[in-house]
């Protein structure tokens, strides 16, 4: 097991290097540059743009820029944003917490809803509950998050206020101009985490239902039933444990989302998370911020997948690491 | 491991594709990078007798109302500030914030668009127009209590001229020859040559505190904490808290030299989605905000806000390539005139801009004192005239209805930036309308950066549509002068020696009346020649809560007298 983990970690190093080289090449190949903010402005002269380009070191050969960036990163220095001049690591840090609050809340909500619904649908296959769950989850996958988010704001923030009901805030993490309080933050968290969770719920319910159906058809389940175990034990003790294994892969794939943020939800609900930072960095061509974000997210994804792989072994004793 | 690679491929694609599909996530129109809205340029100051025509600014002339003491005003905006260093700021959000934090030597009075005293109480200009002597206020303190003097002014301007500072204003300021501190309240600027707009273009940057920044090099100031964590200026509001991309809180400066602001706090809140901006103005979560034209009808139903639609210095235009090396389709000005006669711009403004704008009759912004609304011809929609002009120019309709000349069809592509709904709709309507006069135009959408390269570097276009946020100063040399093909924005490669001379002369005089005459002449030539075609002058819709008094949005300088903003007395 330790050897397996060590090997995976060692394998991750060339992977990370490859990713940084690829991203560096891609962002520099994209049209525009951090200096685009000064372009197409009747007041700013080409001399100014050229001077600032040199000040930022963007006039140096690409390999030199890359090596300088790697050198800094190895010393734990991700550089400063080419747009705001602030340290990249500071920019990421101040967002990461916000993103985690939203995505963890959504993930928990999604798990709490999708597992029971998926299991029950499989057990009651073809019955009214299953059919209703199928229709709703298909609809849930088809509804775009930005639309649902806006509708939620319109109903629960704007109309509720008009009707004199306790209205939800239409965005933000805490009430503007008020000191922080946990209750206030949870109140702000309800709408965005629900909208973000809905997509996962819709998708995961389907997955859990079908993998449960498969598990319920397995020989060991029939054996357990034949032994006269009650349904409860068969479903939760035997079928669910095995039925969840493919689902672990799905959660593993969802892990990067925890950290990379959900851009659309963050935009609609004015939630200052990593998604918006990444979006702005990409549109502004803020090379250093993009590189910092990708490197850190890459490391997190690699770790997330390693954790998922280890989780297989815990859930399925047939899996051996060597 | 394969999964990891796939996850990454997806991540990379998202990160890079995000820029290419900016319209999908937000309805905010992607506009040309914003200009400093607060640091405006205006008619030459030394001629206060000149009549500034400022129709839209007239509303600001209302008498201030009594306001309650205390409370807060929340402004909602689409973007967060990037820096609170007045020399580095370049985007609207940053310069707007700075206008509340700091003061320049002078700034614009929105009532008449003329420069008015701020840190300087008066200024004298030598007869040759090259020496400016400012007398400064003696009662101004920085937010940390240190007294403001002429040394701070000298320091600020010398820092701006430092090559290592990443300020985009250096070249514009390089007209300054020497800066001499005569006394703590008197400073003299000697210019290398006459600069008609010096006072209003260059004397309005917020003055920085020398005592805080002087220990640092310009290079260190580029990334200093001062810019984002601890800015110190002289203005009506002090920096309190900035949660990036969420809100920026300013608090009243009790020692402000014009008096303590009425409100205790002024908060800028970032909301990226246009629908949500409107929602927050409706619910009262925000007290003031600009919103998008499609929301106008809905916002006007709200009885808790006062709606405004103010004129701006913006315009949208299309350019036809006049470089014979690229195409000879548009060399004949009759063709260019015909294309404009073939457009029903009134209908375009009505349907696409939701009526939030007006048809442009000349090249200067509608708010400018140099704008001549009576420039002829006016090019009202006249498809018959368009067809006649094309016939005269030798473009005859072929069997397929498309005009041709010497075996070449009048068929071209027109580029615009993807994600800007107004422009996307404009090119679509232009395609339809031009088709009716036998011109085959295909709209092409492109991501902003690639689009800019096409316009200014590769010049790989027959036609493009874009917009500018112009200055208050009417100098349009960079759009029309022959020299501006390289390093400027004469992207059509237009060249007219007569116009070149007018543009140069208008910069050498500080006499507003004379400049106005020259710019009227310029607009006449441009209306006739159409080297570029200005389509419209957009208006900016905005809403102010009825709880708030004395806050009147305008494009010239609406942070003017912000200390008088307040809440309605209960």
């Amino acid at each position: 097991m330790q050897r397996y983990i060590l090997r995976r970690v060692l394998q991750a190093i060339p992977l990370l290097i490859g990713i940084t080289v690829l991203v560096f090449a891609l962002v520099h190949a994209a049209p525009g540059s951090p200096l685009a903010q000064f372009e197409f402005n009747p007041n700013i002269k080409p001399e100014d743009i050229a001077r600032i380009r040199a000040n930022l070191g963007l006039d140096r050969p690409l390999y030199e820029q890359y090596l300088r960036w790697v050198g800094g990163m190895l010393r734990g220095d991700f550089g400063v944003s080419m747009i705001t001049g602030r340290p990249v690591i500071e920019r990421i840090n101040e967002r990461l917490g916000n993103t985690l609050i939203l995505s963890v809340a959504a993930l928990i909500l999604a798990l709490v809803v999708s597992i029971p619904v998926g299991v029950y649908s499989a057990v009651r296959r073809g019955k009214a509950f299953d059919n209703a769950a199928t229709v709703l989850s298909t609809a849930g996958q088809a509804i775009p998050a930005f639309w649902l988010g806006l509708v939620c704001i319109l109903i629960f923030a704007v109309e509720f206020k008009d009707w004199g009901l306790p209205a939800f805030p239409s965005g933000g993490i805490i009430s503007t101009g008020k000191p922080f309080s946990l209750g206030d933050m949870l109140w702000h968290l309800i709408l965005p985490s629900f909208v973000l969770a809905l997509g996962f719920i819709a998708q995961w319910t389907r997955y859990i239902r079908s993998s449960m159906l498969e598990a319920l058809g397995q020989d060991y389940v029939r054996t357990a039933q034949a032994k006269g175990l009650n349904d409860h034990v068969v479903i939760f003790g035997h079928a669910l444990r095995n039925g969840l294994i493919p689902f672990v892969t799905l959660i593993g794939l969802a892990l990067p989302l925890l950290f990379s943020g959900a851009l659309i939800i963050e935009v609609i609900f004015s939630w200052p998370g990593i998604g918006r930072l990444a979006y702005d960095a990409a549109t502004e061509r803020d090379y250093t911020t993009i590189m910092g974000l990708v490197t850190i997210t890459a490391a997190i994804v690699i770790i997330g997948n390693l954790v998922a792989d280890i989780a297989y072994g815990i859930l399925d004793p047939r899996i051996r690491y060597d | 491991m394969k999964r990891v690679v796939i996850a990454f491929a997806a991540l990379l694609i998202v990160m890079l594709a995000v820029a290419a599909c900016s319209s999908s996530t937000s309805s905010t129109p992607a506009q040309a990078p914003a200009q400093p809205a607060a640091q405006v340029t205006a008619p030459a100051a030394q001629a206060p007798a000149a009549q500034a025509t400022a129709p839209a600014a007239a509303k600001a002339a209302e008498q201030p109302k009594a306001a309650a003491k205390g409370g807060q005003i929340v402004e909602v905006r689409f973007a967060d500030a990037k820096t609170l260093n007045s020399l580095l700021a370049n985007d609207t959000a940053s310069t707007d914030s700075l206008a509340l934090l700091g003061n320049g030597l002078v700034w614009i009075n929105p009532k008449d668009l003329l420069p008015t005293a701020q840190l300087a109480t008066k200024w004298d200009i030598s007869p040759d127009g090259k020496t400016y002597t400012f007398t400064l206020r003696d009662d101004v303190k920085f937010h940390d209590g240190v007294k403001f003097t002429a040394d701070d002014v000298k320091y600020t301007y010398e820092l701006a001229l430092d090559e290592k500072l990443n300020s985009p204003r250096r070249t514009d300021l390089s007209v300054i020859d020497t800066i001499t501190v005569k006394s703590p309240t008197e400073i003299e600027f000697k210019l290398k040559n006459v600069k008609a707009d010096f006072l209003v273009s260059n004397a309005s940057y917020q003055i920085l505190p020398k005592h805080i920044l002087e220990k640092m090099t310009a290079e260190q100031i580029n990334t200093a904490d001062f810019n984002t964590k601890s800015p110190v200026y002289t203005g009506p509001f002090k920096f309190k808290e900035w949660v990036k991309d969420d809100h920026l809180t300013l608090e009243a400066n009790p020692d402000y030299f014009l008096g303590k602001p009425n409100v205790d706090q002024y908060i800028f809140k970032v909301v990226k989605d246009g629908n949500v901006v409107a929602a927050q103005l409706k619910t009262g979560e925000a007290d003031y905000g600009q919103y998008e034209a499609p929301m106008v009808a809905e916002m006007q139903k709200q009885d808790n806000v006062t709606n405004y639609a103010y004129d701006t210095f913006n315009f949208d235009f299309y350019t036809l390539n006049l470089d014979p090396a690229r195409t000879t389709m548009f060399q004949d000005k009759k063709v260019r005139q015909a294309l404009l006669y073939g457009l029903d711009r009134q209908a375009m403004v009505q349907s696409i801009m939701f009526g939030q704008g007006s048809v442009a009759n000349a090249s200067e912004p509608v708010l400018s004192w140099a704008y001549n609304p009576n420039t002829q011809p006016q090019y009202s929609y006249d498809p018959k005239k368009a067809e006649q002009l094309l016939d005269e120019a030798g473009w005859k309709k072929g069997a397929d209805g498309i005009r041709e000349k010497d075996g070449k069809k009048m068929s071209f592509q027109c580029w615009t930036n993807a994600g800007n709904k107004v422009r996307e709709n404009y090119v679509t309507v232009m395609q339809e309308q031009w088709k009716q006069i036998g011109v085959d135009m295909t709209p092409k959408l492109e991501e902003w950066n690639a689009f800019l390269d096409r316009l200014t570097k590769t010049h790989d276009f027959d036609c493009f549509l874009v917009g500018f946020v112009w200055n208050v100063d009417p100098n349009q040399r960079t759009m029309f002068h022959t020299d501006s093909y390289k390093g400027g924005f004469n992207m059509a490669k237009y060249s007219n020696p007569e116009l070149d001379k007018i543009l140069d002369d208008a910069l050498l005089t500080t006499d507003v009346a004379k400049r106005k005459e020259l710019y009227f002449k310029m607009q006449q030539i441009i209306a006739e020649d159409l080297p570029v075609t200005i389509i419209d002058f957009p208006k900016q819709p905005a809403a102010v809560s009825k709880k708030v008094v004395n806050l009147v949005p305008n494009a010239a300088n609406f942070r003017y007298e912000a200390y008088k903003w307040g809440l309605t007395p209960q």
Side-chain angles (χ1 to χ4, degrees):
Chain A
M1 187 73 154
Q2 282 95 333
R3 281 193 53 195
Y4 173 78
I5 293 172
L6 184 70
R7 207 179 70 218
R8 286 286 300 268
V9 171
L10 288 178
Q11 276 173 349
I13 292 169
L15 187 66
L16 260 181
I17 294 172
I19 287 164
T20 58
V21 172
L22 189 64
V23 175
F24 190 85
L26 281 172
V27 294
H28 282 84
S33 80
L35 298 151
Q37 59 170 325
F38 302 124
E39 307 263 12
F40 217 68
N41 179 332
N43 291 330
I44 296 174
K45 310 289 183 295
E47 299 93 291
D48 289 307
I49 297 179
R51 179 175 52 82
I52 298 171
R53 182 187 301 277
N55 284 355
L56 292 173
L58 292 172
D59 57 338
R60 313 300 302 164
L62 274 188
Y63 71 89
E64 194 185 313
Q65 290 183 45
Y66 176 75
L67 290 177
R68 190 182 302 161
W69 178 81
V70 170
M73 194 198 62
L74 290 178
R75 279 177 277 115
D77 176 10
F78 282 86
V80 294
S81 160
M82 297 201 167
I83 303 290
T84 69
R86 298 179 60 225
V88 169
I89 201 74
E90 206 178 287
R91 297 187 86 199
I92 295 175
N93 269 340
E94 71 198 8
R95 308 291 184 111
L96 203 56
N98 298 340
T99 285
L100 277 175
I101 289 168
L102 178 60
S103 49
V104 168
L107 193 72
I108 291 171
L109 192 62
L111 285 174
V112 166
V113 176
S114 61
I115 293 179
V117 173
V119 170
Y120 198 68
S121 293
V123 176
R124 311 280 295 166
R125 182 184 187 184
K127 299 277 168 35
F129 181 88
D130 181 33
N131 291 338
T134 304
V135 170
L136 285 177
S137 58
T138 311
Q141 285 195 52
I143 292 173
F146 75 87
W147 181 84
L148 185 67
L150 286 175
V151 168
C152 284
I153 288 174
L154 202 63
I155 296 172
F156 298 111
V158 180
E159 294 301 332
F160 265 39
K161 181 135 187 160
D162 280 356
W163 299 334
L165 294 169
F168 284 93
S170 61
I173 294 182
I174 55 165
S175 301
T176 314
K178 299 228 175 76
F180 177 85
S181 83
L182 187 66
D184 187 41
M185 193 194 78
L186 291 175
W187 187 236
H188 280 76
L189 186 60
I190 293 174
L191 286 185
S193 61
F194 166 73
V195 176
L196 180 56
L198 199 78
F200 289 118
I201 293 172
Q203 196 189 3
W204 290 355
T205 307
R206 307 299 302 153
Y207 273 104
I208 293 168
R209 179 183 175 274
S210 53
S211 67
M212 270 303 281
L213 279 178
E214 201 191 318
L216 287 170
Q218 295 287 325
D219 290 344
Y220 59 81
V221 171
R222 215 173 314 140
T223 310
Q225 282 167 335
K227 281 199 297 187
L229 290 176
N230 71 35
D231 280 354
H232 202 78
V233 176
V234 175
I235 291 165
F236 291 100
H238 294 77
L240 181 60
R241 185 165 166 176
N242 291 292
L244 281 185
I245 293 172
F247 183 61
V248 170
T249 312
L250 268 184
I251 301 207
L253 283 177
L255 276 180
L257 290 176
L258 281 183
F259 297 92
S260 62
L263 173 64
I264 291 166
I265 305 288
E266 286 172 8
V267 166
I268 298 288
F269 288 99
S270 311
W271 197 273
I274 292 272
R276 263 163 59 178
L277 180 67
Y279 176 81
D280 288 344
T283 45
E284 289 167 347
R285 304 289 191 268
D286 188 348
Y287 296 151
T288 38
T289 305
I290 297 174
M291 294 299 290
L293 273 170
V294 167
T295 311
I296 290 172
T297 323
I300 291 170
V301 172
I302 290 170
I303 294 166
N305 278 276
L306 180 58
V307 170
D309 283 348
I310 294 166
Y312 291 139
I314 297 164
L315 286 167
D316 186 348
R318 288 170 300 185
I319 293 176
R320 291 275 175 275
Y321 300 103
D322 45 40
Chain B
M1 201 48 72
K2 203 170 173 186
R3 253 192 343 270
V4 180
V5 174
I6 290 168
F8 262 102
L11 182 81
L12 290 189
I13 289 164
V14 169
M15 286 214 48
L16 293 158
V18 112
C21 55
S22 51
S23 63
S24 61
T25 52
S26 160
S27 51
T28 309
Q31 295 204 336
Q35 304 290 308
Q39 286 147 9
V40 282
T41 55
Q46 57 274 54
Q51 284 294 313
T53 54
K59 272 192 173 165
E62 287 168 20
Q63 281 302 308
K65 296 192 184 88
K69 296 283 170 200
Q72 65 180 27
I73 297 176
V74 178
E75 171 177 342
V76 60
R77 58 182 178 189
F78 287 110
D80 197 17
K82 291 179 175 26
T83 175
L84 296 178
N85 183 315
S86 57
L87 297 179
L88 300 174
N90 182 50
D91 57 300
T92 312
S94 301
T95 50
D96 275 359
S97 316
L98 281 159
L100 292 183
L101 280 168
N103 305 104
L105 293 173
V106 299
W107 73 351
I108 300 304
N109 183 340
K111 290 171 192 145
D112 56 11
L113 296 190
L114 292 174
T116 181
Q118 223 182 350
L119 291 175
T121 53
K122 67 182 191 76
W123 49 91
D124 297 306
I125 302 159
S126 66
D128 68 355
K130 290 188 191 173
T131 307
Y132 288 68
T133 311
F134 295 92
T135 308
L136 307 177
R137 295 187 75 107
D138 196 22
D139 57 351
V140 180
K141 278 184 195 158
F142 283 102
H143 294 154
D144 60 358
V146 175
K147 202 167 182 309
F148 154 84
T149 71
D151 286 329
D152 296 302
V153 179
K154 183 176 159 78
Y155 173 77
T156 301
Y157 280 85
E158 281 176 353
L159 180 63
L161 288 168
D162 194 316
E163 289 203 349
K164 288 288 174 193
L165 191 79
N166 294 343
S167 168
R169 316 200 200 294
R170 186 178 179 275
T171 309
D172 199 29
L173 286 173
S174 57
V175 68
I176 297 173
D177 190 16
T178 59
I179 307 170
T180 319
V181 173
K182 299 269 181 185
S183 84
T185 56
E186 200 177 74
I187 189 159
E188 179 192 272
F189 286 74
K190 273 204 160 66
L191 307 190
K192 291 170 192 157
N193 46 268
V194 177
K195 189 166 186 290
D197 63 328
F198 176 73
L199 203 55
V200 282
S201 288
N202 306 121
S204 55
Y205 306 132
Q206 287 82 12
I207 300 301
L208 295 163
K210 181 185 180 192
H211 64 279
I212 293 177
L213 295 173
E214 67 182 339
K215 290 154 248 163
M216 283 183 262
T217 65
E219 218 170 340
Q220 287 168 325
I221 289 172
N222 286 329
T223 60
D225 278 353
F226 177 88
N227 307 340
T228 53
K229 290 197 184 105
S230 52
V232 170
Y233 290 94
T234 55
F237 289 91
K238 297 199 275 191
F239 178 89
K240 186 178 177 192
E241 181 196 37
W242 187 5
V243 176
K244 306 293 181 299
D245 218 11
D246 189 56
H247 69 271
L248 167 64
T249 304
L250 309 180
E251 62 182 349
N253 173 11
D255 302 322
Y256 185 49
F257 57 85
L258 293 175
K260 187 185 176 205
N262 286 321
V263 289
D264 292 334
Q265 291 197 123
Y266 192 89
I267 301 174
F268 292 97
K269 182 155 79 166
V270 183
V271 170
K272 297 245 172 185
D273 184 86
N275 296 291
V276 182
V277 166
Q280 298 219 335
L281 290 165
K282 285 181 193 171
T283 61
E285 284 167 276
D287 303 308
Y288 162 69
Q290 301 177 351
Y291 56 90
E292 295 162 332
M295 308 284 167
V296 168
E298 203 183 319
M299 288 304 295
Q300 273 166 352
K301 288 187 212 136
Q302 287 300 120
D303 49 15
N304 62 331
V305 298
T306 309
N307 285 286
Y308 294 86
Y310 55 89
D311 281 317
T312 62
F313 292 93
N314 309 357
F315 51 82
D316 291 303
F317 63 96
Y318 69 80
T319 294
L320 301 163
N321 204 329
L322 302 180
D323 184 355
R326 165 77 194 195
T327 173
T328 50
M329 229 182 302
F330 312 113
Q331 298 293 315
D332 187 339
K333 75 179 173 195
K334 281 183 178 160
V335 172
R336 307 198 291 270
Q337 292 173 340
L339 290 172
L340 186 50
Y341 276 120
L343 287 184
D344 187 353
R345 292 185 289 163
Q346 194 59 49
M348 287 162 74
V349 169
Q350 273 310 319
S351 58
I352 296 171
M353 310 250 299
F354 299 84
Q356 301 303 303
S358 54
V359 169
N361 286 330
S363 69
E364 291 289 357
V366 64
L367 272 183
S368 172
W369 49 265
Y371 174 59
N372 181 5
N374 301 317
T375 307
Q376 296 297 331
Q378 298 262 328
Y379 297 101
S380 45
Y381 182 48
D382 191 347
K384 284 209 181 70
K385 183 146 193 189
E387 302 234 30
Q388 182 199 330
L389 282 165
L390 286 169
D391 285 337
E392 282 171 22
W395 291 90
K396 306 287 180 201
K397 271 192 180 160
D400 54 357
I402 306 299
R403 291 178 183 272
E404 46 187 56
K405 184 181 177 181
D406 307 331
K408 260 181 60 188
K409 282 191 181 303
M410 178 155 279
S411 175
F412 57 93
Q413 297 175 328
C414 190
W415 298 84
T416 195
N417 58 311
N420 186 312
K421 286 281 165 271
V422 168
R423 290 180 203 151
E424 286 178 7
N425 288 328
Y426 269 6
V427 280
T428 311
V429 170
M430 284 157 66
Q431 176 187 31
E432 283 166 18
Q433 298 203 323
W434 283 347
K435 189 151 201 178
Q436 287 166 18
I437 55 169
V439 174
D440 173 37
M441 183 271 269
T442 312
K444 291 290 233 177
L445 304 180
E446 193 167 34
E447 186 270 336
W448 176 250
N449 288 295
F451 176 65
L452 271 194
D453 280 354
R454 181 179 298 280
L455 266 51
T456 56
K457 298 204 174 80
T458 62
H459 302 283
D460 180 16
F461 65 87
D462 292 325
C463 168
F464 69 79
L465 170 74
V466 76
F468 260 130
V469 180
W470 208 254
N471 304 310
V472 181
D473 192 84
N475 171 21
Q476 289 190 319
R477 194 179 187 279
T478 187
M479 271 186 93
F480 302 119
H481 198 284
T482 307
D483 290 351
S484 299
Y485 177 66
K486 288 234 180 315
F489 297 101
N490 175 5
M491 296 160 284
K493 204 170 186 178
Y494 174 68
S495 179
N496 179 344
E498 188 196 348
L499 188 74
D500 289 353
K501 189 168 177 336
I502 293 175
L503 287 164
D504 289 336
D505 288 350
L507 280 184
L508 290 173
T509 174
T510 52
D511 178 348
V512 168
K514 201 165 168 208
R515 289 186 79 198
K516 191 166 168 176
E517 192 192 317
L518 287 165
Y519 286 126
F520 271 38
K521 235 188 236 172
M522 172 196 88
Q523 288 171 94
Q524 195 54 58
I525 292 172
I526 287 163
E528 180 67 26
D529 261 14
L530 294 177
V532 305
T533 304
I534 318 278
I535 300 174
D536 66 16
F537 297 129
K539 284 183 200 287
Q540 176 62 57
V544 182
S545 164
K546 287 192 176 154
K547 287 190 320 195
V548 174
V549 292
N550 300 337
L551 192 160
V552 182
N554 65 68
N557 177 10
F558 105 86
R559 313 273 159 186
Y560 185 74
E561 298 194 329
Y563 68 101
K564 289 183 181 164
W565 297 349
L567 303 181
T568 317
Q570 293 299 317

